[in-house]
Amino acid sequence: MELTEAQARDIEAARTTCAQTRRPTVPALEALLFEAVPVLDHGFVRVIDYMGDDAAIVQAARVSYGRGTKRVSEDTGLIRYLMRHRHSTPFEMCEIKYHVKLPIFVARQWIRHRTANVNEYSARYSILDREFYIPAPEHLAAQSATNRQGRGAVLEGEEAERALRLLREDAARNYDHYADLLNEDGADPGRQGLARELARMNLTLNTYTQWYWKTDLHNLFHFLSLRADPHAQYEIRAYAEAMLATVDAWVPAASAAFRDYRLGAATFSAGMLAALRRMLDGEAVTQETSGLNRREWAEMMAPLGRA
């Protein structure tokens, strides 16, 4: 990911401008503020603004006038209790705003999370950059034979080369046609050019777009629990992992609790728990005798390390 000289100047100006405030700030996140963290080949994530910290979660939970207790361990314990028992409203008191540059197909998957405020770069008013996401060879995979929305084996050799060539050629050709339809540079003085809001329909879904995305910590944790999961599509997972690193800096106690009780945890159904109790009692339980179907059995055994 390369920033233009103008973009780099804007970021540097933002990072060197300081303002006095009475509100709590987080030094670790302040150090990351406005910095563009590269994601994929041309994308990035950067924190634009935030409100609150770990102490704000505690303060909201206790509805207190101060900044929490004098003992950090007590605040950490309360945060872990809130996360463990899914008391979500104290986490909603913290908010964060990101600037994200991402491929359109990732944005369309991302926008399904309807718990944020979003403002996207408008191709009705502006012209999108000539930048396309092309997967690295190790992420170029075939369709999974067992998962309709997942990937299988990585493509190799001539098939991989052909897929990459078509992705590049189609993206470049469609962008060339997009530019031709716009006729913004006056290459053909005899044509008015197609309206931007219509010409954009010809772009491929791997074209990059940008948006500002603002959400509260509770809903951010929900987003990350789904998109930082190993089963999530690689491209959106890459963004989630970059965002998770900013959350680690912002609210370290809450982030550690999230990793323990949500991201690294497993959920068992009533049927699964019944089967596990029988196993703990010494019974030799199999999938056929467990009362679970094959998929449920596999989902129960996977986190136990018994595929």
Side-chain angles (χ1 to χ4, degrees), residues 107-128:
R108 297 302 162 256
Q109 185 181 35
W110 190 321
I111 203 67
R112 291 181 57 80
H113 296 269
R114 297 165 301 205
T115 51
N117 305 113
V118 186
N119 195 61
E120 187 175 359
Y121 185 94
S122 176
R124 292 187 67 195
Y125 304 116
S126 304
I127 300 173
L128 289 172

Side-chain angles (χ1 to χ4, degrees), residues 176 179-193:
D176 288 343
D180 181 71
L181 289 167
L182 290 171
N183 197 34
E184 290 275 344
D185 58 2
D188 185 349
R191 288 192 293 117
Q192 296 183 71

Side-chain angles (χ1 to χ4, degrees), residues 18-272:
C18 295
Q20 288 186 333
T21 177
R22 286 193 176 95
R23 70 176 179 85
T25 58
V26 181
L29 189 59
E30 290 285 322
L32 298 175
L33 207 59
F34 305 117
E35 192 74 62
V37 179
V39 184
L40 301 182
D41 50 0
H42 300 294
F44 62 70
V45 167
R46 64 189 191 114
V47 179
I48 299 301
D49 200 3
Y50 68 98
M51 179 185 74
D53 57 5
D54 278 327
I57 300 168
V58 172
Q59 187 178 8
R62 293 178 174 146
V63 196
S64 68
Y65 292 91
R67 292 277 298 139
T69 67
K70 293 182 179 179
R71 295 180 59 185
V72 174
S73 60
E74 291 182 17
D75 287 357
T76 299
L78 175 56
I79 287 171
R80 293 180 70 82
Y81 175 88
L82 295 171
M83 182 67 70
R84 192 163 62 247
H85 293 279
R86 296 183 179 269
H87 294 302
S88 59
T89 48
F91 297 102
E92 293 174 2
M93 301 300 159
C94 295
E95 295 195 347
I96 192 165
K97 179 165 61 178
Y98 292 100
H99 177 193
V100 187
K101 183 178 180 182
L102 68 171
I104 291 173
F105 76 93
V106 176
R108 297 302 162 256
Q109 185 181 35
W110 190 321
I111 203 67
R112 291 181 57 80
H113 296 269
R114 297 165 301 205
T115 51
N117 305 113
V118 186
N119 195 61
E120 187 175 359
Y121 185 94
S122 176
R124 292 187 67 195
Y125 304 116
S126 304
I127 300 173
L128 289 172
D129 294 331
R130 188 188 178 92
E131 290 182 318
F132 324 110
Y133 168 64
I134 303 297
E138 63 268 24
H139 298 299
L140 197 68
Q143 176 65 42
S144 170
T146 58
N147 184 349
R148 293 183 181 180
Q149 60 177 12
R151 303 180 188 185
V154 174
L155 297 181
E156 296 180 348
E158 187 176 324
E159 186 174 9
E161 292 176 7
R162 181 176 185 274
L164 288 172
R165 185 181 72 253
L166 289 175
L167 287 171
R168 291 192 186 97
E169 289 178 355
D170 287 354
R173 183 190 67 242
N174 280 32
Y175 192 93
D176 288 343
H177 290 172
Y178 165 70
D180 181 71
L181 289 167
L182 290 171
N183 197 34
E184 290 275 344
D185 58 2
D188 185 349
R191 288 192 293 117
Q192 296 183 71
L194 191 65
R196 295 174 184 177
E197 67 179 20
L198 290 172
R200 62 180 174 169
M201 75 174 76
N202 203 45
L203 293 167
T204 52
L205 291 178
N206 63 340
T207 304
Y208 273 85
T209 185
Q210 300 184 42
W211 63 29
Y212 270 33
W213 193 79
K214 180 176 74 70
T215 190
D216 63 63
L217 184 58
H218 165 62
N219 284 301
L220 177 56
F221 278 149
H222 179 68
F223 172 86
L224 294 174
S225 69
L226 295 173
R227 301 307 184 180
D229 185 273
H231 298 96
Q233 181 174 342
Y234 163 73
E235 285 76 14
I236 198 168
R237 191 171 74 246
Y239 284 92
E241 289 171 351
M243 295 165 73
L244 187 54
T246 68
V247 177
D248 289 339
W250 175 30
V251 282
S255 188
F258 168 72
R259 287 179 180 275
D260 283 347
Y261 298 124
R262 297 285 296 280
L263 199 59
T267 300
F268 296 111
S269 67
M272 291 176 181

